[in-house]
Amino acid sequence: MERLTVAPDAPDLPALPPGRRATIKDVAEGAAVSRSTASRALTGRGYVAPGVRERVRRTAQALGYVPDAGARNLRQQVSRSVGVLVSDLRNSFYADLAAGVGQQSRRRGYAMMLSDDNGSPERELEAAEAFVALRVAGVILTPLSAEVSEYLHRHRVPVVEVDRQFCPGRCDAVVVDNRGAARRVTEGLLAQGHVRIALLIDEADWTTGRDRAAGFAGAVDDAGRPVEAFVVRAGWHVEEARERVRALLEGPSAPTALFAANNVLAEGAWRAAQDLGRRIPEDLSLVSFDDAAWMSMVGPGVTAVAQDVVALGEAAVSALFERIDQADAPARTVMLAARVAERGSTAPPPAS
Amino acid sequence: MERLTVAPDAPDLPALPPGRRATIKDVAEGAAVSRSTASRALTGRGYVAPGVRERVRRTAQALGYVPDAGARNLRQQVSRSVGVLVSDLRNSFYADLAAGVGQQSRRRGYAMMLSDDNGSPERELEAAEAFVALRVAGVILTPLSAEVSEYLHRHRVPVVEVDRQFCPGRCDAVVVDNRGAARRVTEGLLAQGHVRIALLIDEADWTTGRDRAAGFAGAVDDAGRPVEAFVVRAGWHVEEARERVRALLEGPSAPTALFAANNVLAEGAWRAAQDLGRRIPEDLSLVSFDDAAWMSMVGPGVTAVAQDVVALGEAAVSALFERIDQADAPARTVMLAARVAERGSTAPPPAS
DNA sequence: CTGAAAGCGCTTACAG
DNA sequence: CTGAAAGCGCTTACAG
């Protein structure tokens, strides 16, 4: 201790240093102890005489000392933040997911680094690399490719895939029962007597699309009567879907019932029906996978598979921390049930 | 260099070390150079012979070396992340804002630490403290209290307040022209001939509420005819607002036009009107501050002040980085204009 | 009960 | 052109 700026019991402690933030060195000098002792007093690890502890704490308080988390993590070789990577924060599904994950992470004392890859696999990989550079404790993501999870895995970063699964058997995942819920909702349409049914989908390579399509097909196969079921690629955005569905409904063999595989497609379909003056459900039945606020506001409301997105986020955080605690437990997939919110957007097909 | 595990030109470089991540020491040893040289080769700062540079880069690549951002920042005393603190990620306004800020930050090479305080000033302060501990380069927030910004300011963290302003003159802020937009939308209602108009508001202490109320009052004052205008505290959540508005509409002096000061209150008001079977706009006119997806989906759509939330986020990021570059420039407030999306939810009052 | 020293992973003057 | 040394802010065995 070359400088004792403050006598041990000085009532007036120095104010915040002018140009820079207080470090533990400042605290130690202010309290006239060594950095070791100051550290022990503040972290609570290791012994410090009660009086000294108090003095150090008061000094830290007076200096507005906030330990540098980066330096602490570097020394301790641990991390107190989780990385979260979603596809589109503007979509309420991902926003709700991020909200749930952030809340649960905070509860455990972890900060959330959030990235939005906008559906681009390149950005996704960049974000993953940033997470590795930041040495996050783990990553929760809605993957776009198998590469990300592999990459993170290779860099020994615990990963949980949410919503869809690209890395089964090697990474943990939390998903909803896409197949089962899609089956039930399709069965609802079939029970109304529809014969021409379309599944609107963005893609069928991800497990979400594949499983929802499988549930749809399964219900159709088991219908016990001839059904013209077709799968329509309706694009990724509302306007794209709106145009596709408009074309579909104006075409020669227009379906009488639509099953939109997510909320974006449902919005496009709904707007298309409006554009053409088709009444729901009298002229056209519509069901959706994914609930959204507007679906309970339009009249009639849109029957939808309501995923409990908050529960999804919570389950992902639990899975991540279990993985952090037990790096080499076998990979697990958690599947959550989803309920169907019946709202009245289905009816028997029009008697054409 | 005590260990030369690899000859300078060895074609087979060692694979990832088994239990731990590669460090610059591993890269240096693998490429048979000093850590200094390895660092210079990888960062591009300082001179390195071209051949050596190549060798180092290949070694780093082979080892899957990703520099520890925390260690780098510690050494360089800089930060490459921004903190973002919003009130409710489940509200599309905040989600869009976070999306915009995240995108612009990434574009500048900064990661985003995101927190959601759920409307609690205590959590808000905790999050601010976490940001200080993480030594973020700056913070963008939708403040709940004057304390946060003061706290961050005191800790020399550049701050930009968005949407509302608690720290005028001392912190930068990016807001929309709440007063002007509220005035215009109110004038629209008055032009339809309404006499009993209610402003639904959550609170009037924040600049948002205060300025929207001021715009409302200003339009009423200038109406040039007697108007019964009242301000109704309608709570913070959809269900709360829904009940309040139901009570209001069933009361003795029910208004014929409602101006909801944000999208949550608008949703409550809209649902309340549905509950009571009031037709919009025949029985009741409704306008909203804040646009939301459902407002253009219900029939008729809800006329709303459409803030350009993405532009808001972008402006906030610009302001933050200007502040980071110039710590002691005078504080600035940027005000963005907002347009009114006319949709048909207003009409003359019913001829009762 | 406390402090000197080492070291986490990095970068950067500076010496040669 | 390259490397040894110092140091960012912290914590933690370990010596006394």
Side-chain angles (χ1 to χ4, degrees):
Chain A
M1 222 141 358
E2 45 295 311
R3 263 193 318 137
L4 275 185
T5 50
V6 174
D9 292 308
D12 279 17
L13 291 159
L16 287 179
R20 59 189 182 75
R21 279 189 269 261
T23 70
I24 197 155
K25 190 151 171 271
D26 299 314
V27 175
E29 289 175 357
V33 294
S34 70
R35 277 145 66 218
S36 322
T37 301
S39 176
R40 264 180 275 123
L42 294 172
T43 60
R45 279 200 266 261
Y47 197 91
V48 177
V52 175
R53 176 190 311 274
E54 245 333 286
R55 202 171 74 226
V56 171
R57 295 213 165 147
R58 271 203 306 273
T59 309
Q61 176 73 31
L63 290 171
Y65 171 67
V66 179
D68 183 320
R72 171 177 288 176
N73 294 343
L74 177 59
R75 171 59 229 249
Q76 296 185 142
Q77 291 294 87
V78 298
S79 166
R80 296 294 264 175
S81 62
V82 303
V84 177
L85 183 47
V86 298
S87 300
D88 179 10
L89 206 48
R90 290 190 177 100
N91 183 326
S92 59
F93 174 79
Y94 296 107
D96 289 356
L97 187 65
V101 171
Q103 186 166 318
Q104 287 297 316
S105 302
R106 193 175 37 66
R107 188 161 296 167
R108 293 168 200 253
Y110 283 69
M112 172 171 73
M113 310 269 342
L114 183 69
S115 264
D116 180 333
D117 55 43
N118 253 285
S120 150
E122 293 79 42
R123 286 200 197 160
E124 182 182 42
L125 216 51
E126 285 170 23
E129 191 164 344
F131 287 152
V132 172
L134 291 160
R135 300 294 190 262
V136 297
V139 171
I140 290 173
L141 44 62
T142 57
L144 296 173
S145 69
E147 281 74 44
V148 223
S149 303
E150 297 287 354
Y151 175 85
L152 291 167
H153 200 75
R154 203 166 352 115
H155 283 271
R156 307 177 202 303
V157 180
V159 182
V160 175
E161 297 186 323
V162 188
D163 184 50
R164 47 209 186 235
Q165 203 169 5
F166 274 88
C167 200
R170 293 167 48 79
C171 303
D172 298 310
V174 179
V175 297
V176 304
D177 179 13
N178 288 300
R179 190 187 179 114
R183 169 182 273 273
R184 265 181 295 145
V185 97
T186 307
E187 284 169 352
L189 291 176
L190 291 168
Q192 298 275 18
H194 289 274
V195 173
R196 287 201 306 285
I197 305 186
L199 171 68
L200 307 173
I201 205 163
D202 44 10
E203 54 73 56
D205 297 327
W206 298 357
T207 53
T208 34
R210 200 191 60 205
D211 294 349
R212 290 172 195 181
F216 174 75
V220 167
D221 286 347
D222 294 353
R225 59 182 173 83
V227 173
E228 290 175 50
F230 31 105
V231 175
V232 179
R233 303 291 270 251
W236 292 88
H237 300 289
V238 170
E239 286 310 313
E240 242 175 306
R242 186 178 188 164
E243 280 173 38
R244 298 279 175 85
V245 174
R246 227 158 32 202
L248 180 68
L249 293 178
E250 289 183 314
S253 58
T256 58
L258 297 177
F259 174 15
N262 65 45
N263 71 44
V264 171
L265 300 178
E267 182 174 336
W270 193 90
R271 289 187 188 271
Q274 297 288 309
D275 293 344
L276 300 177
R278 305 291 166 91
R279 291 165 308 161
I280 294 174
E282 294 83 356
D283 304 328
L284 181 70
S285 290
L286 174 66
V287 297
S288 165
F289 208 110
D290 271 3
D291 201 3
W294 64 267
M295 294 185 192
S296 63
M297 303 192 72
V298 297
V302 178
T303 293
V305 175
Q307 310 185 53
D308 187 339
V309 186
V310 173
L312 200 65
E314 290 179 353
V317 175
S318 297
L320 183 63
F321 281 95
E322 285 174 31
R323 173 61 50 200
I324 290 172
D325 290 341
Q326 275 220 329
D328 38 43
R332 285 193 309 184
T333 297
V334 176
M335 185 180 287
L336 270 51
R339 85 193 160 78
V340 175
E342 297 284 356
R343 296 211 178 91
S345 59
T346 67
S352 63
Chain B
M1 221 143 356
E2 47 292 314
R3 263 193 317 136
L4 275 184
T5 51
V6 174
D9 292 310
D12 278 17
L13 290 158
L16 287 179
R20 60 190 180 74
R21 277 188 269 259
T23 69
I24 195 154
K25 191 153 170 269
D26 298 314
V27 175
E29 288 176 358
V33 294
S34 70
R35 279 144 65 218
S36 323
T37 301
S39 176
R40 263 178 277 123
L42 295 172
T43 59
R45 281 201 266 261
Y47 196 91
V48 176
V52 175
R53 176 190 312 275
E54 245 334 285
R55 202 171 72 225
V56 171
R57 295 213 164 146
R58 271 203 306 272
T59 309
Q61 177 73 31
L63 290 171
Y65 172 68
V66 178
D68 183 320
R72 172 178 286 177
N73 294 343
L74 177 60
R75 171 59 230 250
Q76 296 186 141
Q77 292 293 88
V78 298
S79 168
R80 294 296 263 176
S81 61
V82 302
V84 178
L85 182 48
V86 298
S87 301
D88 180 11
L89 207 48
R90 292 191 174 100
N91 182 326
S92 59
F93 174 79
Y94 296 107
D96 289 357
L97 187 65
V101 170
Q103 186 168 319
Q104 287 297 317
S105 302
R106 193 175 38 66
R107 187 160 299 167
R108 293 167 199 252
Y110 283 68
M112 170 170 75
M113 309 268 344
L114 183 69
S115 264
D116 180 333
D117 55 43
N118 251 283
S120 149
E122 292 80 42
R123 286 199 198 160
E124 182 182 42
L125 216 50
E126 284 169 24
E129 191 163 341
F131 286 153
V132 172
L134 290 160
R135 301 294 190 263
V136 297
V139 171
I140 290 173
L141 45 62
T142 56
L144 296 173
S145 68
E147 280 75 43
V148 223
S149 304
E150 296 287 356
Y151 174 85
L152 291 167
H153 199 76
R154 204 166 351 116
H155 283 271
R156 307 176 202 303
V157 179
V159 182
V160 175
E161 297 187 323
V162 188
D163 184 50
R164 48 209 185 235
Q165 205 170 5
F166 274 88
C167 199
R170 292 167 48 79
C171 303
D172 297 311
V174 179
V175 297
V176 305
D177 180 12
N178 289 299
R179 188 188 181 116
R183 168 183 275 272
R184 264 181 297 145
V185 97
T186 307
E187 284 168 351
L189 291 176
L190 291 167
Q192 297 276 19
H194 290 274
V195 173
R196 286 200 307 284
I197 305 187
L199 171 67
L200 307 173
I201 205 163
D202 44 10
E203 54 72 57
D205 297 328
W206 297 357
T207 53
T208 33
R210 199 190 62 205
D211 294 349
R212 290 172 196 181
F216 174 76
V220 167
D221 286 348
D222 295 352
R225 60 179 171 86
V227 173
E228 289 175 51
F230 32 105
V231 175
V232 178
R233 302 290 271 250
W236 291 87
H237 300 290
V238 170
E239 285 311 313
E240 244 177 306
R242 186 177 188 167
E243 281 174 37
R244 299 279 175 86
V245 173
R246 226 159 30 202
L248 180 68
L249 293 177
E250 290 183 313
S253 58
T256 58
L258 297 177
F259 174 15
N262 66 46
N263 72 45
V264 171
L265 301 178
E267 182 174 335
W270 192 90
R271 288 188 188 271
Q274 298 289 308
D275 293 343
L276 301 176
R278 306 289 168 92
R279 292 165 306 163
I280 293 174
E282 295 83 355
D283 304 328
L284 180 70
S285 290
L286 173 66
V287 297
S288 164
F289 208 111
D290 270 1
D291 201 2
W294 64 266
M295 295 185 191
S296 62
M297 303 191 73
V298 298
V302 177
T303 292
V305 175
Q307 309 185 53
D308 187 339
V309 186
V310 173
L312 201 63
E314 291 179 353
V317 174
S318 297
L320 184 64
F321 281 94
E322 286 175 29
R323 172 61 51 200
I324 289 171
D325 289 342
Q326 274 221 330
D328 37 44
R332 283 193 310 184
T333 297
V334 176
M335 185 180 287
L336 270 52
R339 86 193 160 78
V340 175
E342 297 283 356
R343 295 209 179 94
S345 59
T346 66
S352 61

